[in-house]
């Protein structure tokens, strides 16, 4: 039996802990991040953000599915469909660049939005949490880059 | 669908709305000063204490505990200072009328001496009995000063005390629940405008923070300028006088005039045989005021609010005309916040794509609600 028993996570925090972006955070870190997330409900077919729009937040899918698509010369090209635990719009946390694709609710869904300025605020107030998030974000971007390179090898 | 929105700049209609909204709010705030003043004071305390709370949070303390520690320590320090200085304050309070009379007499003598000098050099004023007339009105003013001004002022200050005590409490809740309140407000925003509103709330917070930081820098600059100037003149307690007059300058124009009168009274009373001291103090105040209005204020508060110096000066005049001293004090922070609101809401309302997305979302929700009917 431990002297300091590990606190039990609430169902909501358990859900957050399973998201790769937050998987390395401690119980206290999860509570801090939970306080910064904005839960939003979207109905099937509703646009979350448009391609080219100014990016302010990262979104995490808590339930439902979200379709990511991009306008090409041949029409609207579907890039990915994301489910619970996955996140999108991650570049918003890093820079002010416009959205590179459109996100639309494929079915009724609940998303958690993480505002860029709150993430920057974390760097000043909770450096340990922010560095863990940054590392997870860098890993995620690295994976995406690797996948993109494998999908389109050097000519 | 690709939709590249251009960064839109605010047009004349948005700017006219910003000015109109600022004027209306000033007028309304004048009616609820009992709430506005403690809230403003709470904002000053909040922005002064927030860096300390941030440091505690950085050390691993939760936001609730950090807020409690910082606000609690602040209240304790305030209470400690009050207890420490209460004997001195009580003594001074008892002597207040004597002290005020002493400095008013000094000022009156200085004015009468100056007028006598003018009359001896300009016979026109002597024929008009200028000195006698001014002496009569000044004597009546100083004799009735305590009854007519000092006691009503002290009574007003005492009646304000309970609402001012709200300020530390408000600042504690701002420190503790600021984020929760922000989330609560954002729940009411439709999805299409959510990101814009997130940005708006952040900008409003940044504007208020910038204003109060600007005011603190301005107070330090004013206190240093006046303190150094008074020290060069050879006045007694130059730094204390500099600080008091810098704090009085929070009320643009009127506060500075009151500060100037205060220093001239001190100079005329403490150095009755050296009228040059009082003239020097007046000259110093004119220089300090010009520096303050045309350099320090536009460079600190105006710049922090990203407002053109001309707009800053214009707004100060408008604020004074609408709501007097209250208007002078409130116009800049209010205009800064209204400006952020106006520009963001103007941008969102004129963004056809955002409006179309909102209408589409409403239709989708209505379809779901009507499905089984």
């Amino acid at each position: 039996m431990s002297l300091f028993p590990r606190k039990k996570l609430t169902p909501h925090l358990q859900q957050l802990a399973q998201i790769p972006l937050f998987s390395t955070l401690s119980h206290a870190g999860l509570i801090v991040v939970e306080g910064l997330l904005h839960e939003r409900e979207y109905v099937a077919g509703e646009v979350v953000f448009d391609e080219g729009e100014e990016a302010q937040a990262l979104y995490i899918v808590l339930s439902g599915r979200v379709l990511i698509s991009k306008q090409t010369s041949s029409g609207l090209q579907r890039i990915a469909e994301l489910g619970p635990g996955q996140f999108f719009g991650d570049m918003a946390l890093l820079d002010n660049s416009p959205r590179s694709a459109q996100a639309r609710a494929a079915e009724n869904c609940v998303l958690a939005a993480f505002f860029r300025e709150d993430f920057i605020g974390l760097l000043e107030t909770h450096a340990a949490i922010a560095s863990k998030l940054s590392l997870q974000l860098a890993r995620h971007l690295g994976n995406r880059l690797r996948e993109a390179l494998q999908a389109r090898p050097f000519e | 669908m690709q939709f590249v929105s251009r960064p839109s700049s605010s047009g004349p209609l948005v700017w006219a709305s910003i000015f109109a909204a600022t004027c209306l709010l000033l007028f309304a705030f004048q009616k609820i000063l009992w709430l506005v003043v403690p809230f403003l004071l709470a904002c000053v305390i909040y922005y002064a204490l927030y860096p300390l709370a941030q440091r505690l949070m950085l050390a691993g303390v939760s936001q609730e505990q950090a807020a409690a520690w910082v606000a609690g320590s602040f209240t304790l320090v305030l209470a400690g200072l009050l207890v420490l200085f209460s004997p001195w304050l009580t003594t001074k309070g008892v002597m207040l009328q004597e002290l005020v009379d002493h400095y008013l007499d000094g000022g009156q003598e200085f004015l009468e001496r100056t007028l006598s000098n003018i009359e001896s050099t300009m016979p026109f004023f002597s024929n008009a009995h200028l000195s006698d007339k001014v002496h009569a009105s000044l004597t009546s003013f100083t004799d009735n000063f305590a009854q007519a001004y000092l006691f009503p002022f002290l009574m007003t200050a005492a009646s304000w005390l309970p609402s001012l005590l709200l300020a530390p409490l408000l600042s504690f809740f701002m420190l503790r629940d600021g984020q929760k309140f922000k989330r609560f407000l954002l729940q009411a925003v439709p999805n299409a405008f959510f990101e814009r509103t997130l940005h708006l709330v952040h900008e409003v917070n940044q504007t208020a923070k910038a204003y109060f930081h600007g005011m603190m820098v301005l107070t330090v600059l004013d206190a240093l300028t006046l303190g150094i100037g008074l020290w060069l003149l050879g006045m007694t307690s130059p730094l204390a006088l500099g600080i008091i007059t810098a704090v009085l300058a929070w009320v643009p124009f009127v506060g500075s005039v009151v500060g100037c009168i205060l220093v001239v009274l001190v100079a005329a009373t403490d150095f009755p045989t050296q009228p040059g001291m009082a003239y020097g103090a007046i000259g110093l105040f004119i220089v300090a005021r010009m520096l303050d209005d045309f350099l320090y204020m536009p460079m600190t508060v105006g710049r922090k609010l990203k407002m053109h110096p001309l707009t800053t000066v214009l707004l100060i005049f408008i604020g004074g005309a609408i709501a007097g001293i209250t208007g002078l004090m409130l116009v800049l922070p209010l205009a800064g916040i209204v400006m952020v609101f106006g520009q963001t809401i103007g941008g969102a309302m004129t963004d056809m794509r955002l409006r179309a997305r909102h209408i589409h979302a409403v239709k989708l929700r209505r379809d779901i609600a009507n499905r089984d009917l």
Side-chain angles (χ1 to χ4, degrees):
Chain A
M1 197 172 134
S2 164
L3 186 60
F4 298 105
R6 204 177 158 83
K7 284 181 192 169
K8 211 176 166 188
L9 294 176
T10 60
H12 199 249
L13 286 182
Q14 273 177 359
Q15 193 185 7
L16 281 186
Q18 283 163 7
I19 296 164
L21 186 63
F22 305 133
S23 61
T24 53
L25 295 183
S26 63
H27 180 259
L30 285 171
I31 291 173
V32 170
V33 168
E34 191 201 20
L36 298 174
L37 296 177
H38 302 268
E39 271 192 26
R40 312 289 306 178
E41 287 179 14
Y42 291 81
V43 290
E46 190 174 354
V47 174
V48 180
F49 56 72
D50 276 313
E51 186 179 346
E53 193 178 299
E54 194 183 337
Q56 298 288 348
L58 167 147
Y59 290 87
I60 301 140
V61 185
L62 297 179
S63 70
R65 301 198 74 76
V66 172
L67 187 70
I68 309 292
S69 48
K70 196 172 168 62
Q71 189 73 33
T72 61
S73 53
S74 56
L76 202 62
Q77 187 194 348
R78 182 180 146 150
I79 298 174
E81 192 168 320
L82 308 174
Q86 290 180 292
F87 58 92
F88 59 95
D90 35 293
M91 291 305 287
L93 290 196
L94 303 174
D95 59 21
N96 282 328
S97 59
R99 298 286 191 192
S100 56
Q102 187 200 53
R104 187 188 284 266
E107 54 188 63
N108 291 351
C109 59
V110 179
L111 307 180
F114 191 15
F115 182 39
R116 179 177 57 238
E117 298 300 337
D118 286 336
F119 175 66
I120 292 168
L122 269 185
L123 289 169
E124 288 170 16
T125 56
H126 296 85
I129 297 173
S131 61
K132 282 179 183 173
L133 289 181
S134 305
L135 187 61
Q136 289 302 94
L137 207 56
R139 282 181 182 143
H140 174 75
L141 291 172
N143 281 339
R144 270 217 328 236
L145 184 65
R146 206 171 295 122
E147 282 167 17
L149 286 173
Q150 280 167 0
R152 205 178 69 172
F154 293 111
E155 290 158 9
Chain B
M1 143 148 206
Q2 185 170 7
F3 184 84
V4 181
S5 55
R6 280 181 300 141
S8 56
S9 59
S10 304
L13 195 66
V14 170
W15 271 103
S17 309
I18 290 169
F19 267 77
T22 307
C23 294
L24 275 175
L25 282 172
L26 272 180
F27 187 73
F29 280 3
Q30 208 184 359
K31 309 283 173 198
I32 48 162
L33 265 188
W34 56 271
L35 187 65
V36 174
V37 173
F39 183 77
L40 272 180
L41 209 57
C43 285
V44 174
I45 299 171
Y46 167 76
Y47 286 113
L49 295 184
Y50 189 68
L52 294 174
Q54 260 190 332
R55 279 185 179 275
L56 283 180
M57 285 191 269
L58 191 59
V61 179
S62 72
Q63 184 165 4
E64 286 81 5
Q65 285 174 335
W69 272 106
V70 170
S73 308
F74 173 76
T75 312
L76 277 177
V77 169
L78 212 65
L81 285 175
L82 211 64
V83 169
L84 201 68
F85 285 102
S86 58
W88 183 82
L89 282 171
T90 317
T91 323
K92 286 286 171 192
V94 172
M95 288 166 59
L96 189 66
Q97 194 179 341
E98 278 177 42
L99 209 67
V100 169
D101 286 344
H102 174 63
Y103 281 112
L104 280 177
D105 289 344
Q108 191 178 350
E109 278 172 31
F110 166 72
L111 197 62
E112 283 170 7
R113 270 198 308 276
T114 311
L115 288 173
S116 303
N117 288 340
I118 292 173
E119 280 181 349
S120 61
T121 50
M122 297 181 196
F124 167 75
F125 288 113
S126 180
N127 295 339
H129 304 289
L130 178 70
S131 178
D132 296 339
K133 283 175 186 166
V134 171
H135 175 75
S137 26
L138 271 180
T139 309
S140 136
F141 173 76
T142 50
D143 287 350
N144 296 323
F145 183 80
Q147 282 296 325
Y149 302 102
L150 186 63
F151 293 129
F153 171 76
L154 290 176
M155 289 301 286
T156 313
S159 69
W160 271 91
L161 205 61
S163 66
L164 288 181
L165 288 175
L166 263 179
L169 195 71
L170 282 174
S171 58
F172 163 68
F173 284 114
M174 283 178 177
L175 283 168
R176 199 189 71 166
D177 299 326
Q179 186 66 25
K180 285 180 195 158
F181 185 64
K182 186 171 127 184
R183 283 171 65 182
F184 171 73
L185 278 183
L186 284 161
Q187 277 175 3
V189 178
N191 285 336
F193 305 109
F194 169 64
E195 285 201 27
R196 285 278 177 102
T197 314
L198 258 184
H199 187 62
L200 166 72
V201 172
H202 171 72
E203 284 292 308
V204 167
N205 182 38
Q206 289 298 102
T207 304
K209 191 171 152 186
Y211 176 76
F212 289 115
H213 279 179
M215 280 304 279
M216 284 174 207
V217 174
L218 187 68
T219 307
V220 171
L221 282 174
D222 271 354
L224 281 177
T225 308
L226 291 165
I228 291 170
L230 292 171
W231 174 70
L232 286 174
L233 282 173
M235 286 278 291
T236 45
S237 315
L239 193 63
L241 280 173
I243 292 170
I244 292 170
T245 44
V247 171
L248 281 172
W250 285 354
V251 184
F253 299 118
V254 177
S256 306
V257 172
V258 174
C260 179
I261 291 171
L262 181 78
V263 174
V264 170
L265 286 180
V266 172
T269 311
D270 290 354
F271 302 92
T273 54
Q274 300 172 35
M277 290 293 281
Y279 297 135
I282 294 170
L284 173 70
F285 260 86
I286 292 169
V287 173
R289 201 74 343 259
M290 286 172 79
L291 279 173
D292 192 55
D293 290 336
F294 298 107
L295 186 70
Y296 295 162
M297 197 178 258
M299 295 293 278
T300 54
V301 179
R303 180 178 281 183
K304 299 261 183 187
L305 292 180
K306 291 175 189 152
M307 217 180 265
H308 193 276
L310 186 66
T311 317
T312 312
V313 175
L314 196 69
L315 277 168
I316 289 172
F317 278 111
I318 293 174
I322 291 176
I325 294 173
T326 320
L328 289 172
M329 282 186 81
L330 294 182
V331 70
L332 285 183
L334 201 60
I337 289 167
V338 171
M339 191 173 74
V340 175
F341 263 97
Q343 286 176 339
T344 311
I345 292 169
M349 293 310 286
T350 50
D351 192 324
M352 298 290 281
R353 176 65 184 175
L354 285 187
R355 281 165 56 195
R357 263 168 50 184
H358 175 58
I359 292 165
H360 176 62
V362 170
K363 185 184 170 296
L364 288 172
R365 282 167 208 274
R366 197 182 296 134
D367 289 347
I368 292 171
N370 291 338
R371 193 179 293 155
D372 299 328
L373 297 177

